[in-house]
């Protein structure tokens, strides 16, 4: 057992000190934000105060509750766990979640503490200020740490167990981020004959089964196990060798080449799961996307309602047949639905040809249909598909099942585009990959959208669609 004076234990104690220091800085930022919000609301005059400036004492009394609630929320959301490898954006997202939950608790508390009236506008301002101030404090704090680590202070000693492509990727990632303060002390290999040689730019210090002994000798803080898939039979020996030490252990599974669509590691009731592919829209992300779809689709229908009625009347009077055309398409999880469009062709247009791609100058189109397809206005009825939940405003364009059977055999990963709802517009469409263009490029852009999805990305695509998405040279 290591003594308290060893470097590994000293580093852990130092880490605890830094976490306590960060907690104090966060609570100071929260306190300043609360008092600053009171001054901002009642003394700067940006929003008129109609009932006079309230007494500051209730706000000062609330400060004690705020410090307690925010401290517990920050702890609950893991804001003080080591974040050497996580991104800044992930930290800001966790801060926003913690502050939002804390504000909801504060709002609930105001209903029970009737004698202490607090302006709802102050709480709203404070919510924004608290996220901003804590994020700035955290960013500054971590920049100081990164500055120190680049100069050799506050380092963590790392041991890599493995070889080949996977181990090389781990080494590359660590070397690319010197601000994280991760110093690789060496590497363990499977073949005893390679001990002492240079492997992946590192000295091979020993074999897999010597992990515990070498980790203890070098006061290793963290071990990365990145062994090839074919040597997983030796994993038990490695872990048994390390079980008497105090180093943190991370296993990098040799499934990297199979991971697509936000693959990663998650937990199910205490059981770790490696996800090779998954939909980005779940939980609150799914709720947020659905709410945005309903709100924006409803607004769009209100705005375009007169135009829809006009097109319906013109189609009815210029061509026999129904106004709307229903066509089977495939959407989320491979489920089919009836997609709505304004009818742009004569009735029974595919009786002789069967299912075919629409071509430029297609003689089956009506006069009004040509205009609607060239401007993409024939897609407007799909707003009703959005309200029904069959489609989203933004997503990969849905395709007909008869064509999908052909595409899935020819194009690798084609079916992954069905991990999200189909959309009226998408990243491929605003980049010009629509109509009679490359299916491969369209899939490439669709998968990029899924892998990088966010509500802000959806809003960006919607803005681009309004700007340049309706009339396009490839629209047919």
């Amino acid at each position: 057992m290591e003594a308290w004076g060893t470097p590994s234990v000293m580093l852990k104690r130092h880490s605890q000190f830094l976490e306590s220091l960060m907690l104090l800085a966060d609570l100071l930022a929260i306190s300043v934000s609360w008092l600053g919000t009171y001054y901002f609301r009642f003394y700067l005059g940006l929003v008129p105060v109609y009932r006079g400036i309230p007494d500051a004492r209730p706000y000062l009394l609330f400060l004690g509750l705020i410090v307690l609630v925010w401290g517990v929320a920050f702890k609950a959301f893991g804001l003080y766990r080591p974040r050497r490898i996580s991104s800044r954006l992930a930290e800001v997202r966790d801060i926003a979640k913690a502050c939002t939950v804390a504000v909801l608790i504060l709002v609930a508390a105001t209903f029970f503490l009737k004698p202490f009236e607090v302006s709802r506008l102050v709480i709203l301002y404070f919510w924004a200020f608290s996220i901003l101030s804590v994020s700035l404090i955290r960013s500054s704090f971590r920049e100081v740490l990164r500055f120190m680590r680049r100069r050799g202070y506050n380092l963590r000693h790392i041991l890599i167990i493995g070889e080949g492509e996977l181990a090389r990727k781990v080494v590359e990632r660590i070397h690319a981020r010197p601000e994280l303060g991760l110093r690789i002390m060496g590497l363990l290999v499977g073949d005893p004959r390679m001990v002492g040689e240079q492997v992946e730019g590192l000295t091979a210090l020993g074999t897999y089964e010597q992990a515990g002994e070498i980790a203890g000798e070098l006061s290793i803080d963290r071990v990365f196990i990145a062994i090839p898939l074919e040597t997983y039979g030796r994993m038990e020996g490695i872990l048994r060798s390390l079980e008497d030490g105090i180093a943190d252990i991370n296993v990098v599974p040799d499934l990297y080449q199979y991971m697509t669509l936000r693959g990663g590691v998650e937990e199910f009731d205490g059981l770790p799961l490696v996800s090779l592919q998954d939909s980005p829209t779940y939980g609150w992300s799914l709720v947020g996307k659905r709410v945005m779809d309903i709100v924006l689709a409803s607004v769009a229908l209100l705005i375009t309602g007169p135009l829809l009625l006009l097109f319906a009347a013109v189609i009815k009077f210029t061509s026999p047949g129904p106004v709307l055309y229903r066509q089977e398409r495939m959407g989320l999880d491979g489920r089919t639905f009836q997609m709505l469009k304004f009818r742009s062709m004569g009735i029974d247009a595919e009786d002789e040809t069967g299912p075919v791609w629409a071509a430029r100058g297609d003689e089956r189109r009506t006069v009004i249909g040509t205009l609607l397809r060239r401007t993409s206005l024939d897609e407007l009825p799909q707003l009703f598909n959005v309200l029904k939940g069959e489609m989203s405003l933004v997503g990969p364009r849905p395709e007909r099942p008869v064509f999908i059977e052909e595409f899935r055999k020819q194009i690798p990963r084609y079916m992954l585009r069905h991990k999200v709802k189909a959309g009226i517009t998408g990243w491929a469409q605003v980049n010009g990959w629509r109509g009679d263009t490359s299916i491969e490029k369209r899939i490439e852009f669709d998968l990029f959208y899924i892998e990088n999805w966010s509500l802000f990305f959806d809003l960006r695509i919607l803005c681009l669609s309004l700007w340049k998405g309706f009339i396009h040279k490839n629209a047919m």
Side-chain angles (χ1 to χ4, degrees):
M1 186 170 180
E2 295 188 49
W4 278 97
T6 61
S8 179
V9 175
M10 291 295 289
L11 282 170
K12 291 181 182 295
R13 294 172 64 189
H14 186 54
S15 175
Q16 292 172 354
F17 169 75
L18 290 176
E19 290 172 15
S20 300
L21 193 61
M22 187 176 290
L23 173 61
L24 291 175
D26 288 344
L27 296 181
L28 178 62
I30 290 296
S31 301
V32 171
S33 296
W34 177 250
L35 299 176
T37 301
Y38 174 82
Y39 180 83
F40 178 84
R41 170 66 183 94
F42 298 114
Y43 286 94
L44 289 187
L46 296 180
V47 178
V49 179
Y50 297 106
R51 294 188 295 175
I53 297 176
D55 188 357
R57 283 178 294 180
Y59 290 86
L60 290 173
L61 290 173
F62 256 95
L63 183 57
L65 176 64
I66 286 170
V67 168
L68 176 63
V69 171
W70 260 253
V72 172
F74 284 179
K75 281 281 190 179
F77 278 85
L79 292 180
Y80 301 102
R81 66 179 185 269
R83 287 178 173 264
R84 286 172 179 258
I85 305 178
S86 64
S87 67
R88 295 183 187 181
L89 182 60
E91 184 171 38
V92 172
R93 186 169 59 243
D94 287 343
I95 291 171
K97 290 178 182 177
C99 287
T100 301
V101 170
V103 161
L104 293 175
I105 294 173
L106 181 63
V107 170
T110 61
F111 286 102
F112 295 100
L113 302 174
K114 293 296 184 182
F116 303 101
E117 290 191 8
V118 177
S119 167
R120 299 294 184 266
L121 197 55
V122 166
I123 293 178
L124 179 62
Y125 287 158
F126 173 58
W127 171 73
F129 289 165
S130 64
I131 295 173
L132 179 62
S133 63
V134 173
S135 297
L136 289 175
I137 287 289
R138 288 297 187 94
S139 180
S140 302
F141 192 87
R142 296 197 184 282
E143 280 304 317
V144 171
L145 287 180
R146 288 185 176 100
F147 178 82
M148 293 171 59
R149 288 163 181 164
R150 287 191 183 103
R151 282 152 182 78
Y153 300 100
N154 188 231
L155 298 178
R156 293 291 184 270
H157 298 122
I158 306 299
L159 181 66
I160 307 293
I161 301 177
E163 58 212 279
E165 180 68 14
L166 188 62
R168 184 182 64 79
K169 286 184 180 295
V170 173
V171 173
E172 285 180 352
R173 300 291 170 84
I174 293 175
H175 284 163
R177 301 287 298 279
E179 74 276 7
L180 299 178
L182 303 177
R183 174 176 290 177
I184 303 177
M185 304 301 291
L187 178 137
L188 303 186
V189 294
D191 188 349
R193 294 171 297 180
M194 298 173 62
V195 175
E197 298 181 3
Q198 291 291 305
V199 181
E200 311 302 342
L202 300 170
T203 301
L205 303 177
T207 60
Y208 293 166
E209 288 73 19
Q210 294 177 283
E213 175 189 347
I214 294 174
E217 290 175 357
L218 298 179
S219 298
I220 295 298
D221 298 291
R222 185 178 293 269
V223 174
F224 284 90
I225 302 176
I227 62 176
L229 193 61
E230 60 269 18
T231 62
Y232 266 37
R234 301 174 69 175
M235 180 70 80
E236 182 179 1
I238 296 172
L239 296 177
R240 287 192 178 281
S241 174
L242 290 167
E243 64 184 6
D244 291 331
I246 59 173
D248 297 327
I249 301 173
N250 296 99
V251 177
V252 185
D254 191 17
L255 299 169
Y256 187 84
Q257 66 269 33
Y258 304 112
M259 287 188 175
T260 59
L261 295 187
R262 301 189 177 211
V265 180
E266 54 187 316
E267 184 178 300
F268 172 66
D269 200 19
L271 182 69
L273 302 175
V274 178
S275 175
L276 300 183
Q277 61 186 42
D278 200 0
S279 170
T281 51
Y282 59 89
W284 287 110
S285 299
L286 179 63
V287 173
K289 186 172 176 66
R290 183 63 183 143
V291 168
M292 187 175 76
D293 281 342
I294 292 173
V295 171
L296 294 184
S298 299
V299 171
L301 282 172
L302 288 174
I303 294 174
T304 62
L307 194 61
L308 293 174
L309 293 175
L310 175 62
F311 288 152
V314 173
I315 293 170
K316 192 65 177 176
F317 288 114
T318 59
S319 174
V323 169
L324 296 177
Y325 177 61
R326 290 172 171 82
Q327 191 175 68
E328 187 181 35
R329 298 291 177 108
M330 185 176 289
L332 178 65
D333 294 331
R335 294 192 295 267
T336 59
F337 65 97
Q338 296 296 312
M339 190 183 77
L340 299 176
K341 300 178 73 171
F342 277 128
R343 184 172 57 82
S344 59
M345 296 186 180
I347 57 174
D348 303 325
E350 292 187 337
D351 280 358
E352 295 183 4
T353 62
V356 293
W357 282 93
R360 192 175 302 278
D362 197 322
E363 296 181 354
R364 297 175 299 168
R365 291 181 296 185
T366 62
V367 175
I368 184 64
T370 301
L371 172 65
L372 291 174
R373 293 180 72 91
R374 289 292 297 167
T375 57
S376 300
L377 293 173
D378 61 324
E379 313 283 358
L380 285 178
Q382 288 158 38
L383 292 170
F384 293 104
N385 289 116
V386 173
L387 291 180
K388 290 174 63 179
E390 297 168 331
M391 294 178 65
S392 176
L393 290 173
V394 182
R397 286 293 295 162
E399 195 48 79
R400 300 172 70 174
V402 64
F403 295 139
I404 289 174
E405 287 303 316
E406 177 183 345
F407 295 151
R408 68 191 302 178
K409 297 174 184 176
Q410 300 175 356
I411 305 171
R413 305 170 68 200
Y414 178 88
M415 293 302 291
L416 294 181
R417 67 199 302 269
H418 297 107
K419 299 298 290 185
V420 296
K421 280 185 182 180
I424 296 178
T425 185
W427 184 235
Q429 283 65 45
V430 297
N431 281 280
W433 300 105
R434 54 190 294 185
D436 192 13
T437 56
S438 168
I439 298 295
E440 288 79 6
K441 292 298 293 184
R442 200 178 306 177
I443 300 307
E444 177 185 331
F445 277 78
D446 286 342
L447 296 183
F448 177 87
Y449 164 76
I450 298 172
E451 291 169 355
N452 296 276
W453 176 85
S454 70
L455 288 177
F456 292 108
F457 197 9
D458 274 4
L459 290 172
R460 178 185 174 191
I461 292 171
L462 288 173
C463 291
L464 288 172
S465 298
L466 293 173
W467 178 254
K468 62 179 183 179
F470 283 102
I471 301 177
H472 194 276
K473 62 180 180 180
N474 292 327
M476 296 185 297

